[in-house]
Amino acid sequence: MEAAIARNLGSLGAFLPEIVLSAGVLALFLLDLVFRGEGRRGRLTWAFGIVLALAAAALAVTPSSPRGLFNGMVVQDGLGTFFKWLFLATAAYTAGIVVHSKEISRARLGEFYALLLAVLLGMDLMAVSGDLLMVYLSLELVSLVSYALAGFRKDDVRSAEASLKYVIYGGVASGIMLFGISYMYGLFGTTDLALLGPKIKAFSGEVFVAQTLGGATAAQLALVVAVMFVLAGVGYKMASVPWHMWCPDVYEGAPTPFTAFLSVGPKAAGFAVALRFFGVGFTEAAGGGLVNTATVPWPAIVGILAAITMTLGNITALGQTNLKRLLAYSSIAHAGYLLMGLAAASILGFQSVLVYLAVYLFMNLGAFLVVAIMAARTGGEDISAYRGLVRRAPFTAIAFTVFLFSLTGLPPLAGFTGKYLLFAALLQQGGSWYVALAIVGAINSAISLYYYLRIVKAMVLEPPAGAGGPIEVPRTYGALLAGSMAALLFFGLFWSPLYGASLRATQALFRG
Amino acid sequence: MILPSAYLVVGALLFGLGLCGVLVRRNALTAFMSVELMLNAANLTFLAFARHPLRGAPSLDGSAIAFFVIAVAAAEASVGLAVVIAVFRSRGTVEIDALRSLRH
């Protein structure tokens, strides 16, 4: 008992970024009451930025050598640190979008920032969860606050409706996940992922367990069902089929800055959990590669989900005219691409997921930033509002084109790097099954080019609709657009820093 | 003497009942009740496995998890009901089928 308490207290030092964020949530709620008058918007944004900077400083000084914290509930390692940087960048970018957004009123800005920090805290905890209970709790923290943020504009019918759909789908998904966890607990007597790994490996040989549950087949089936159920909660966060139904409605109804955040942050957090769950629980490093230690064919399950997810996302996106909806289906398709990396079940596969998520951050947030600009300036989310944009706001139009090309995966942009690594991971595995999945991915990329190009065509070739005067873009937005484009070009040409960081993060997962 | 597996059967039935409830009933409040049913089914399974583990001595882990789940369920219900109220104020109904302002 004494030793356990001492271990918990000793863990606090390595938990500094999360402590800073928790304090930041409370501080923002208080500052929301203090800051009044004209400068409120700027001051609250500064406060939010300072909390993020403190969290980043805390993250920089926290060691990332692999070790368990709080008696195994939380794991400190390179993978968690990689994702924490990703989440911080997403939150900072979102704040950049919020600054000039008319959708978040000045009166409720403090509340918005405080809740956003709470989601950030939840995502950080998802990335470092070393225990299935912690996975469930952190996932619920992200979900519960996201419900509130999706329905942030209470007076807006669409926002409230999006929130309700989100809550119901989310409740079902987390309920299914919890039921899966309860069976994992029953089968193995623990929810600690590090302890689960060896137990799952030894599972098929255990006659005793098999007899209690009514035969070896039944026991195996129980494990497969439990894994599928756990995948439900994670897949819901990733917006992968068949847990994607909430995605288009919530993306359309939620305030645009939060939609941007939602399309990157929680999706990445879902992948963080999936990488750790399958990496620690179901695989082990052997002979330079990874071996599936369980009799559960999880790479096949994930691969089939990947194929269905990207195909459904891309096909449905073809018919969309609302940009937020179109990008929602595009983000479903990207969840499918990312699942390909997980399905490869190799070091390179895991790495490619990390690289793609980092690249995806810039291109998808950039795309949503353009949508936010257009919604604020022209009031239109429909593709017709983008007609002739190249003449009305040339820089924005060029930036949007770069983001869309990168989302398609055209060189020399970073989207190509990400896709290249995903496909390389599949082809490295060899078997006809992996090649088939890669072909499905390639066909899907071609389909996606069609609907992305449709937007580019409207912007460049079609005459402006209505008045068609020039659109003024705030300087913050211009800087964000330029920064995102620079990042996409940089990582498209020099991707070794990103590759190196992802390699270190992935190797940390398998060093124990 | 009640067999340990009986708890699991009841848990699975409750879970199925909850899942069907969400899928079939179109009232948001009923859907929430069904979600609660699913969480309680998971709790029952946790407690059954804590009391009658497949191997080794009974442990308190499952019971502890049940407490966490109860707390999360309460938080989820409060956020969910707040959303339902917001929808009811703007639409005057909580029937899920009536929510059609977002295209399908």
Side-chain angles (χ1 to χ4, degrees), chain A residues 111-429:
Chain A
E111 206 179 318
F112 184 86
Y113 280 145
L115 292 177
L116 199 61
L117 278 180
V119 185
L120 182 60
L121 174 65
M123 296 194 311
D124 273 11
L125 290 176
M126 274 174 85
V128 294
S129 295
D131 192 291
L132 288 175
L133 173 62
M134 198 64 206
V135 168
Y136 173 72
L137 291 177
S138 53
L139 196 128
E140 282 288 4
L141 175 56
V142 173
S143 296
L144 289 178
V145 185
S146 298
Y147 303 152
L149 283 172
F152 199 70
R153 288 178 301 155
K154 283 182 292 191
D155 43 332
D156 183 355
V157 178
R158 296 198 306 165
S159 192
E161 185 180 323
S163 183
L164 183 61
K165 286 181 177 168
Y166 202 17
V167 173
I168 291 176
Y169 286 126
V172 174
S174 65
I176 292 176
M177 181 185 194
L178 189 71
F179 199 68
I181 293 175
S182 74
Y183 268 81
M184 296 283 280
Y185 170 70
L187 287 171
F188 304 111
T190 179
T191 49
D192 190 324
L193 276 175
L195 300 178
L196 274 177
K199 290 194 173 180
I200 292 174
K201 190 182 175 188
F203 180 64
S204 42
E206 280 186 40
V207 184
F208 167 67
V209 174
Q211 277 171 348
T212 323
L213 278 173
T217 324
Q220 283 303 324
L221 198 63
L223 180 58
V224 173
V225 170
V227 170
M228 287 297 286
F229 277 17
V230 172
L231 208 54
V234 178
Y236 162 76
K237 281 274 153 262
M238 297 171 183
S240 82
V241 172
W243 308 285
H244 66 285
M245 280 92 84
W246 60 275
C247 183
D249 286 349
V250 172
Y251 277 28
E252 190 186 344
T256 312
F258 184 63
T259 306
F261 182 82
L262 203 57
S263 71
V264 176
K267 194 185 286 279
F271 276 98
V273 170
L275 290 180
R276 202 181 286 286
F277 180 68
F278 287 118
V280 175
F282 293 83
T283 48
E284 64 180 17
L290 297 184
V291 185
N292 183 5
T293 52
T295 37
V296 183
W298 66 267
I301 296 172
V302 172
I304 292 168
L305 286 182
I308 301 174
T309 303
M310 57 192 166
T311 311
L312 185 132
N314 278 322
I315 300 278
T316 324
L318 288 175
Q320 302 301 324
T321 53
N322 180 302
L323 255 278
K324 270 165 108 178
R325 260 187 118 70
L326 189 147
L327 285 175
Y329 283 110
S330 138
S331 98
I332 294 175
H334 279 85
Y337 300 140
L338 284 158
L339 281 174
M340 289 199 306
L342 186 59
S346 63
I347 298 271
L348 184 61
F350 278 34
Q351 252 185 287
S352 62
V353 172
L354 298 186
V355 171
Y356 201 85
L357 280 171
V359 172
Y360 178 73
L361 184 154
F362 290 106
M363 52 197 190
N364 217 48
L365 286 180
F368 271 109
L369 173 57
V370 176
V371 173
I373 293 174
M374 292 301 287
R377 304 294 142 178
T378 68
E381 288 171 2
D382 204 79
I383 197 166
S384 59
Y386 290 74
R387 278 193 208 142
L389 188 66
V390 77
R391 258 151 288 172
R392 304 177 65 189
F395 185 66
T396 309
I398 291 168
F400 201 19
T401 310
V402 168
F403 300 145
L404 292 174
F405 279 168
S406 186
L407 282 168
T408 321
L410 295 180
L413 298 164
F416 172 74
T417 312
K419 278 223 177 109
Y420 172 80
L421 285 176
L422 286 172
F423 286 122
L426 282 179
L427 296 178
Q428 188 197 43
Q429 291 295 80

